[in-house]
Amino acid sequence: MDIKKLLFATQFEELWFDALQSLLDLRKASLNHVVFLNVIEREKVTMRRGAGYQKKEEIKLREKANIRFIDWAENLFEQGMEVGVYIVVGNLASQVISAAEKEAVDLIVIGRERKGKIERMLMGSDLTEIVHRTGKPVLVYKYAPETGGPLERPFERPMLSTDFSSASRRAVDYLMPLNDVVQHVDVIHVVSEKELAGTSAMAVQKTRKESRNKLDEMCDLLEAAGIEARSHVYIGETVEQIEKAARECGATMIITGTSGRGGLAERLLGSVPKELSEKSAFPTLFVPPENL
Amino acid sequence: MSKKVLVVDDDPDVRLFNTTVVEENGYTPLEAENGEEALKIIQDKKPDLVILDILMPKQSGIRLYRELKTNKALAGVKVVILSGIAKRTFLRSQKALTEFGDAEVPEPEVYLEKPVDSEELADVMRKVLA
């Protein structure tokens, strides 16, 4: 599973060219094509009483986006890369999905979710919709909280959080060809306190040992691909522990598999990916299961 | 039979403008909205001239230009670049690709930076197709 082509979807508010530049390390693997996407939200150009469709506003927004993309594209073209561009009016998630399909990209890069909590409850999250409908890995890029700038090499030292699902295994497959980019992977599993409630110290140790063995199998696969890997078991609330582990490991990114659960179930019950995308300070790569 | 001119641009307004200029000057316009579609039309209809944008979805004008200039069967097709991307970038990009091991390609017949007016475009077409 090589990353040859990525879709960089930006609204020019949450994601800039410096974020993309920090990902160009992937060229050492096989990245050679970047597709830019800007979605002009329909509300910005939609009909208003007495004014009709805001065609002039649409042209202005298109041209603003075009000027930025030309500048970014010139930089990439001069490095010998291939570049494409889409500037479209519509719904963010639908347009990202459509561009990802048309271009058959290997990775989608988006910024932090911009919808508010209530809007997400009512309409669902863009991230969830994109991950579930494209079946493509999605990187929610985040700038470093301390500096406000991009990380130098987000793929250098990722932390893979696994629940041993097929999506987690696919995440390992996704990392293996990146051995020129990824130096070290910490592979972690979080056991919830609920799973351990009422059990003896022996049973806790047994659970840890079982998890550790499964984690070590994943580490062996990564090491066979030339990537240093180390396993860790954490106990507690999943998202909180993942965040703690990422800090402890000095991770540059969190990687996690996503379940097939989406839409209403996720809106009502919540999910680890959704919470991570909203709360984590780290860039987070979501890998869906293969058969999604 | 009039000469065929293929207009390649992802912007429908630009395509409409360019094909109108092509038609008004007595040539037959063809159109494509990206490099991939353009290549199929070129192979199928063998236009005499391609007016080529650079920054487009699917396949950029940089890759299509390279394909046209390195494929012997298409070598006779003349190309005018019409793009918002600077000529300097185009040349540096081709140089970078050559350094990565691709074949060397000649400079385009004409390189126009957007926007151009209809007279300028018509003049260029007439000269290149003369």
Side-chain angles (χ1 to χ4, degrees):
Chain A
M1 228 178 140
D2 286 340
I3 306 178
K4 289 182 182 158
K5 198 182 212 184
L6 71 78
L7 176 69
F8 190 80
T10 176
Q11 304 298 91
F12 302 111
E13 286 172 11
E14 73 307 356
L15 211 50
W16 293 89
F17 190 56
D18 54 358
L20 178 66
Q21 279 174 313
S22 75
L23 297 171
L24 292 184
D25 209 25
L26 290 170
R27 291 185 72 195
K28 283 190 216 151
S30 40
L31 179 70
N32 70 359
H33 194 155
V34 172
V35 181
F36 293 119
L37 168 68
N38 172 244
V39 180
I40 299 167
E41 286 153 307
R42 216 178 280 282
E43 307 85 77
K44 288 190 178 160
V45 291
T46 202
M47 293 218 239
R48 289 186 195 131
R49 191 185 293 240
Y53 184 77
Q54 310 283 298
K55 185 69 184 169
K56 276 189 186 164
E57 184 64 14
E58 184 196 321
I59 291 170
K60 195 178 87 188
L61 291 170
R62 273 183 190 278
E63 283 313 308
K64 271 172 84 175
N66 197 31
I67 286 170
R68 287 272 42 78
F69 284 159
I70 285 177
D71 199 34
W72 298 1
E74 285 187 337
N75 188 311
L76 298 179
F77 276 138
E78 288 183 17
Q79 296 179 50
M81 294 190 74
E82 173 69 325
V83 189
V85 67
Y86 290 83
I87 303 168
V88 289
V89 176
N91 164 276
L92 178 67
S94 306
Q95 295 300 336
V96 169
I97 293 160
S98 162
E101 273 170 17
K102 278 186 209 159
E103 294 283 341
V105 298
D106 306 299
L107 174 67
I108 298 169
V109 182
I110 58 173
R112 271 181 192 271
E113 178 96 48
R114 290 164 64 241
K115 281 180 184 168
K117 211 169 180 177
I118 294 173
E119 209 180 343
R120 283 198 305 268
M121 270 292 283
L122 295 172
M123 301 161 68
S125 103
D126 288 327
L127 168 74
T128 309
E129 198 178 340
I130 293 166
V131 172
H132 285 97
R133 283 179 52 200
T134 60
K136 309 259 184 213
V138 177
L139 173 63
V140 178
Y141 194 94
K142 289 161 190 173
Y143 285 91
E146 312 84 43
T147 61
L151 284 161
E152 233 173 88
R153 284 181 285 274
F155 276 89
E156 192 172 74
R157 207 182 157 89
M159 186 193 80
L160 170 61
S161 167
T162 174
D163 58 359
F164 307 119
S165 61
S166 65
S168 300
R169 296 214 170 82
R170 194 175 177 220
V172 173
D173 294 341
Y174 198 65
L175 284 173
M176 279 159 53
L178 303 180
N179 53 3
D180 285 333
V181 183
V182 177
Q183 278 185 6
H184 176 100
V185 183
D186 287 288
V187 188
I188 74 150
H189 174 65
V190 181
V191 181
S192 72
E193 287 183 24
K194 218 192 281 176
E195 283 174 67
L196 299 173
T199 52
S200 64
M202 182 73 95
V204 173
Q205 289 303 320
K206 195 177 162 211
T207 305
R208 179 186 169 275
K209 192 176 167 186
E210 281 169 4
S211 301
R212 189 72 184 251
N213 287 343
K214 287 190 208 164
L215 289 172
D216 285 343
E217 279 172 28
M218 294 172 114
C219 288
D220 288 346
L221 288 172
L222 289 164
E223 295 211 320
I227 300 170
E228 196 181 278
R230 193 178 167 86
S231 62
H232 312 268
V233 178
Y234 284 79
I235 294 171
E237 194 276 319
T238 310
V239 173
E240 197 184 297
Q241 293 302 316
I242 291 174
E243 192 72 6
K244 272 187 190 166
R247 287 184 196 283
E248 223 169 60
C249 297
T252 49
M253 172 193 288
I254 295 171
I255 303 178
T256 185
T258 61
S259 69
R261 191 173 74 191
L264 190 62
E266 191 166 74
R267 270 181 253 169
L268 297 174
L269 303 171
S271 76
V272 170
K274 192 164 146 271
E275 273 194 69
L276 276 176
S277 78
E278 289 162 15
K279 293 179 185 167
S280 175
F282 294 86
T284 315
L285 175 66
F286 300 99
V287 182
E290 196 144 22
N291 54 356
L292 202 69
Chain B
M1 211 173 94
S2 67
K3 290 184 172 169
K4 288 177 277 187
V5 178
L6 173 63
V7 172
V8 190
D9 202 301
D10 58 325
D11 184 335
D13 293 341
V14 174
R15 282 203 308 277
L16 179 63
F17 176 83
N18 291 350
T19 50
T20 306
V21 176
V22 168
E23 209 163 10
E24 279 176 353
N25 283 275
Y27 305 117
T28 305
L30 304 168
E31 51 184 302
E33 59 182 59
N34 58 59
E36 217 173 85
E37 193 186 328
L39 185 58
K40 283 183 195 149
I41 295 174
I42 292 165
Q43 284 164 334
D44 191 33
K45 308 223 164 140
K46 300 274 182 319
D48 300 281
L49 170 67
V50 178
I51 299 175
L52 181 61
D53 185 23
I54 296 295
L55 187 54
M56 297 178 289
K58 300 260 183 165
Q59 188 189 40
S60 72
I62 284 179
R63 301 291 164 129
L64 178 60
Y65 181 79
R66 187 157 272 278
E67 176 73 29
L68 293 178
K69 296 298 166 189
T70 53
N71 184 337
K72 280 183 188 161
L74 307 172
V77 181
K78 291 180 171 131
V79 181
V80 168
I81 306 278
L82 174 56
S83 175
I85 297 286
K87 182 179 181 183
R88 191 169 53 174
T89 296
F90 177 85
L91 297 176
R92 281 183 184 164
S93 155
Q94 296 296 357
K95 195 174 163 217
L97 290 169
T98 304
E99 280 167 6
F100 289 150
D102 285 5
E104 206 161 322
V105 291
E107 285 193 24
E109 277 84 356
V110 181
Y111 198 109
L112 299 172
E113 285 186 31
K114 282 179 184 171
V116 292
D117 61 37
S118 54
E119 279 165 28
E120 190 182 356
L121 183 59
D123 275 352
V124 163
M125 276 193 301
R126 279 194 292 267
K127 274 181 200 152
V128 174
L129 289 171

